[in-house]
Amino acid sequence: MRLFQTIAGLRIYLSQQRPQKRVGFVPTMGALHQGHRSLIEQARRENELVVVSIFVNPLQFGPTEDLEKYPRLLEQDCQICEDLGVDVVFAPTPETLGIDSGDQTQTMVIPPESLTRNLCATFRPGHFPGVATIVSKLFNIIQPEIAYFGEKDAQQLAIIRCLVKDLSFPVEIKGCPTSREESGLALSSRNQYLSEAEKSSALALFESLQLAQKAFVQGTKTRQALLNLVQQHLDLTDEINVQYIDLVDPQTLSPLEEVTETGLLAIAAYVGSTRLIDNILLRNRQPIIAIDGPAGAGKSTVTRLVAKELNLLYLDTGAMYRALAWLVRQSGLALTDEAGIAELVSQANLALIPQPYPQATRVKINGEDVTEAIRTPEVTSLVSAIAAQKTVREVLLQIQQSYGKKGGLVAEGRDIGTKVFPDAEVKIFLTATVQERARRRLADFQAQGKTDIRLEDLEREIAQRDQQDSTRAIAPLVKAADAIEIQTDGLSIPEVTSKIVQLYLS
Ligand code: AMP
């Protein structure tokens, strides 16, 4: 592991590593705990090179806040990073980073007023401009492909997502679930300030959120009822001094009178002199089943059958890729003209019209029905090259996620559980040994009357494809940490389908 304290050192190192390596970045203020670890572990799984920054950012502390007192444990933090397989720790000082918090000569990045008029921003003026400025600076220095932020800091996450969109930073932002102690207390570097008694008082925060969530599941959806529940529970603990309790849209942060799709229920409170925050997402949508796995494991057949059995929408992601492949073919653009293809697909209007099983989903692109046209061998031969292009993935990611808003769907694809629906209720990683997949494919060929194909050749091809899929730059095959693996060797399609249906119903 390398430790850099200057922009110069880090930049040279990173420029030597690129372009072969995808860079994942975890910004922190150090005093690393399990919450940080979970972000770092995810970054490690998903990237070739992992950079962790450790910087107690003076720009985000108010004059009466705990900047001086904030724990600084660089040596211990570096050891944790080393143990987690981090490649680079970037631990600058305000001076080496060129930050001057005193004389106000620093260019600042100011998040929109709409995202900073409530929640923590009300009580920490200047905090989010400080965060947005330092994060922008770190993005420019490190230029990561993916950056990881905790959902615990929900307002920060919404602001960073907006910042990246508004300023067109070429980075993907991943929100990661809140890590908690077994007691439920959200992990935080500031928990170190709590006495044992305060720690046990602090449990009321998550308890109150859980109570509200339980009521929500049972039908309580309005602001007033949910906030009252939280307030009443917190009132039982004298040592808790509530700063705010709010129910907002998780993206726009606008207050919600009622949760129709998703609501963020958030709290900030003092326990003694320590300020703690916590939140929970209330999701009013039907569950999603996401099925990932290597090529040839039976994903698409099984997915259709699961949709039929459970009466869920089958989101035909394959048809989406086909539709864009059809569009590119129509346009006459060369496959190598990635820029031209990016222009074309970014402006395409794609719509899926689901049909009852076993009919194919109807597909329209720019108003034209292409349901049959996308199934021709000419289009088929283009699909995988089109799907490997970054903009194609990004365009489809947006569309697929918009279908996921209401839930009640099942979808398959190589990055469905990791990237498209990381919060799917049921995630399956469907797999089979290379030998089994080769045997299945051989049987398919034989059924089509092709008898001159050798099993060993198919095995070699499939192994090669797995290797390419798991190492390629765009949407590599990775198993989500919380996916349930189903090994399908020796299982029939109905058996696999029924396993998934059981998992969904249980
Ligand atoms: P900090 O060091 O407090 O600035 O946090 C660095 C990153 O870790 C931020 O993206 C936080 O949201 C995230 N983080 C902090 N606490 C937790 C937690 N308990 N679970 C998950 N992520 C967390």
Side-chain angles (χ1 to χ4, degrees), residues 27-30 33 35-36 39 70 149-150 152-153 156 177-179 187:
T28 81
M29 297 207 299
H33 51 66
H36 300 109
L39 269 58
Y70 199 87
F149 290 85
K152 178 174 158 270
D153 297 277
Q156 168 172 288
T178 301
S179 298
L187 290 168

Side-chain angles (χ1 to χ4, degrees), residues 26-36 38-39 55 60 70 148-154 156 176-180 185-190:
V26 183
T28 81
M29 297 207 299
L32 303 181
H33 51 66
Q34 185 54 42
H36 300 109
S38 66
L39 269 58
F55 180 61
Q60 71 188 64
Y70 199 87
Y148 298 82
F149 290 85
E151 288 170 354
K152 178 174 158 270
D153 297 277
Q156 168 172 288
C176 307
T178 301
S179 298
R180 300 178 180 280
L185 179 66
L187 290 168
S188 160
S189 305
R190 290 192 169 96

Side-chain angles (χ1 to χ4, degrees), residues 100-106:
D100 194 339
S101 53
D103 64 3
Q104 305 204 334
T105 54
Q106 160 82 46

